[in-house]
Amino acid sequence: MLGTKFMDCENLPDGRYKSTVRSRTEGEKTIQSKRIVDASGWQCAVLSALGLGQKPDRVGVGIEYEFPIRNHAPNRAVLFVGSTALTGYGWIFPTPDQKLRLGIGVINPDTDLSPRKVMDAFVREGHAERYNIEIPEEYEVNSGIIPSIPYDPKLVFGDVVRTGDAANFATPTVGEGIRIAIEFGRKLGVEITAYLDGDAKALKRYERDAERQFKRDYRYGFMMNQRIARYAPERWDKSVKRLSRLSEREMIALVRSNFTWCTIARTVWLSFLAKFR
């Protein structure tokens, strides 16, 4: 149902759930169901309403401008950190349809600044020109919020199961979520089908597969997230020099929060060498 807002959910005496939604065209209505998938994003709306969870107290908030690519190289992507995006980072990504996305994300409440204020300062102080980017007078504005909290492996609450940002699937290093949301959304679809066909272990299998993939990587990724969110510009200068020693494969693994034991050992060793020098 498009243009419909989730309002509330409650348990019924017979074990089912009654959800209240509001539509622009039909007004308020109720839906009764035996099972629910909470895909409400960072707000965890269903879990919160049922007392099974709560909104995260730490979130990544981002804003981006989208406009024609013009003279920007279509194969050049940029991540920028430091004084222009403290507690977070900025990005310049070309798209397949010849557009450019210039964005900045910050972590609240690590900073009380909104990403829009940070973006306004970025543009006002001429940083866009440093990257040879000309922002037109008219552009699309995209924004979003993702959780930035430790990973919780519990995804199944009886007949309620969560996925996507409601399950904190976004990577803790750079907040990449859509790829993982699609992958595990498909997995959940397969397991829900199996569950409805009589496989009582299907939903727990989905929960176990997610824990196996995310628990260790996200633990180390969140530790890194908390650490770099406190970096001053001078600390970022040193960190970027260390990052330059990583191979392409290692850099991709870092961005994706893939922390194998080999990657962790190499990171610790490089950190030790840097301090020793």
Side-chain angles (χ1 to χ4, degrees), residues 154-167:
K154 185 167 180 57
L155 307 180
V156 180
F157 303 79
D159 287 323
V160 179
V161 57
R162 58 177 172 158
T163 193
D165 283 346

Side-chain angles (χ1 to χ4, degrees), residues 84-158:
T84 53
L86 286 178
T87 80
Y89 71 97
W91 60 90
I92 304 169
F93 291 159
T95 71
D97 57 350
Q98 295 301 302
K99 291 185 177 180
L100 199 64
R101 292 178 178 173
L102 166 64
I104 288 179
V106 298
I107 297 178
N108 295 152
D110 292 28
T111 177
D112 57 0
L113 291 175
S114 71
R116 183 176 292 278
K117 287 185 177 180
V118 179
M119 176 68 90
D120 288 344
F122 180 86
V123 174
R124 183 176 63 251
E125 295 168 9
H127 294 294
E129 285 81 356
R130 292 174 55 196
Y131 297 103
N132 198 27
I133 293 175
E134 182 181 349
I135 302 175
E137 291 185 5
E138 295 186 3
Y139 47 82
E140 295 182 38
V141 179
N142 307 313
S143 60
I145 301 175
I146 60 170
S148 188
I149 55 176
Y151 178 71
D152 181 355
K154 185 167 180 57
L155 307 180
V156 180
F157 303 79

Side-chain angles (χ1 to χ4, degrees), residues 4 19 38 41 44 58 77 87 92 114-115 131 135 144 159 174 190 211 227 235 238 240 253-254 268 270:
T4 303
S19 300
D38 187 350
C44 301
R58 187 174 184 265
T87 80
I92 304 169
S114 71
Y131 297 103
I135 302 175
D159 287 323
V174 299
V190 170
E211 180 175 5
R227 184 176 181 181
R235 187 68 180 273
K238 296 178 181 178
V240 169
L254 179 65
V268 171
L270 289 176

Side-chain angles (χ1 to χ4, degrees), residues 8 18 28 35 42 51 55 57-58 72 77 83 87 99 110 120 125 147 177 218 244 276-277:
D8 196 14
K18 183 176 75 172
E28 198 167 285
R35 303 170 185 87
W42 71 277
K55 293 180 182 180
D57 56 5
R58 187 174 184 265
H72 187 90
S83 58
T87 80
K99 291 185 177 180
D110 292 28
D120 288 344
E125 295 168 9
Y218 280 30
S244 67
F276 180 78
R277 286 168 183 156

Side-chain angles (χ1 to χ4, degrees), residues 60-272:
V61 189
I63 187 172
E64 70 176 10
Y65 296 166
E66 184 173 330
F67 44 85
I69 194 168
R70 295 184 178 174
N71 61 343
H72 187 90
N75 61 346
R76 183 184 184 223
V78 178
L79 296 177
F80 55 89
V81 292
S83 58
T84 53
L86 286 178
T87 80
Y89 71 97
W91 60 90
I92 304 169
F93 291 159
T95 71
D97 57 350
Q98 295 301 302
K99 291 185 177 180
L100 199 64
R101 292 178 178 173
L102 166 64
I104 288 179
V106 298
I107 297 178
N108 295 152
D110 292 28
T111 177
D112 57 0
L113 291 175
S114 71
R116 183 176 292 278
K117 287 185 177 180
V118 179
M119 176 68 90
D120 288 344
F122 180 86
V123 174
R124 183 176 63 251
E125 295 168 9
H127 294 294
E129 285 81 356
R130 292 174 55 196
Y131 297 103
N132 198 27
I133 293 175
E134 182 181 349
I135 302 175
E137 291 185 5
E138 295 186 3
Y139 47 82
E140 295 182 38
V141 179
N142 307 313
S143 60
I145 301 175
I146 60 170
S148 188
I149 55 176
Y151 178 71
D152 181 355
K154 185 167 180 57
L155 307 180
V156 180
F157 303 79
D159 287 323
V160 179
V161 57
R162 58 177 172 158
T163 193
D165 283 346
N168 194 17
F169 281 167
T171 61
T173 45
V174 299
E176 181 205 359
I178 188 64
R179 174 179 60 88
I180 302 164
I182 291 172
E183 178 185 349
F184 271 82
R186 287 172 174 163
K187 285 187 178 183
L188 179 57
V190 170
E191 299 297 10
I192 284 177
T193 301
Y195 180 74
L196 295 176
D197 286 341
D199 185 351
K201 298 180 180 179
L203 295 183
K204 283 296 182 181
R205 190 161 55 239
Y206 157 79
E207 183 178 64
R208 187 177 63 251
D209 288 349
E211 180 175 5
R212 185 180 297 120
Q213 179 160 332
F214 300 131
K215 189 172 182 179
R216 182 189 65 196
D217 288 348
Y218 280 30
R219 180 170 72 249
Y220 289 105
F222 185 68
M223 288 168 57
M224 178 179 291
N225 174 298
Q226 289 181 302
R227 184 176 181 181
I228 64 180
R230 298 191 294 266
Y231 275 11
E234 310 80 50
R235 187 68 180 273
W236 268 119
D237 290 341
K238 296 178 181 178
S239 183
V240 169
K241 288 181 180 178
R242 289 197 298 270
L243 289 174
S244 67
R245 303 187 190 108
L246 299 180
S247 68
E248 180 179 312
R249 179 176 295 181
E250 289 169 332
M251 188 64 192
I252 291 173
L254 179 65
V255 169
R256 288 188 165 190
S257 290
N258 295 146
F259 292 97
T260 64
W261 293 119
C262 182
T263 301
I264 294 170
R266 176 172 166 77
T267 302
V268 171
W269 175 245
L270 289 176
S271 178
F272 170 77

